[in-house]
Amino acid sequence: MALGKHRELIAELRSLTCAHPFHEWFHGQLISVLSRSGRRGEALQAYQSLRALLSEELGVDPSPGLQRLQRHVLALGAPDRCPPLRTGGNKPLGVAS
C-alpha cells in the first residue's frame, strides 16, 4: 500500500477476507484499497457485507475504526485520504500491544 499499488492488492485481500471472514483488519484494508483505487461502490459494499456477517453470526457491529472508515468513504469519497484503521484506543487496528 505504501507504494501506491492498491489495485494489485485487491485480489489478495479478497482472498484473505474469504479465508478469515471475521478478521476486521483484512476487511478494512480491502475497503481502503478499493476506495483508493476509485472503486468507492465496491468499498461500501465490502463494508456492508462485513456488517451483515458480523450482525448475523456474532450479533455485533463492526469496530469503531471500521465505522469511521465507512463514514469517511461515504462523506469524502477521496481515495487517497482514507484514515488509518484504529481500535478503541489509539493504536492502528492489527497492531499488537
Side-chain angles (χ1 to χ4, degrees), residues 23-72:
H23 198 295
E24 286 191 335
W25 189 85
F26 290 143
H27 288 276
Q29 295 304 305
L30 176 61
I31 293 165
S32 291
V33 298
L34 286 168
S35 180
R36 291 173 186 208
S37 297
R39 295 162 75 168
R40 183 176 177 225
E42 288 179 64
L44 294 170
Q45 181 58 48
Y47 176 84
Q48 289 302 325
S49 296
L50 173 63
R51 183 175 168 260
L53 174 73
L54 292 175
S55 177
E56 291 169 12
E57 297 293 326
L58 303 176
V60 299
D61 288 325
S63 68
L66 277 174
Q67 291 177 29
R68 280 190 301 277
L69 178 60
Q70 185 240 9
R71 285 192 305 271
H72 184 81

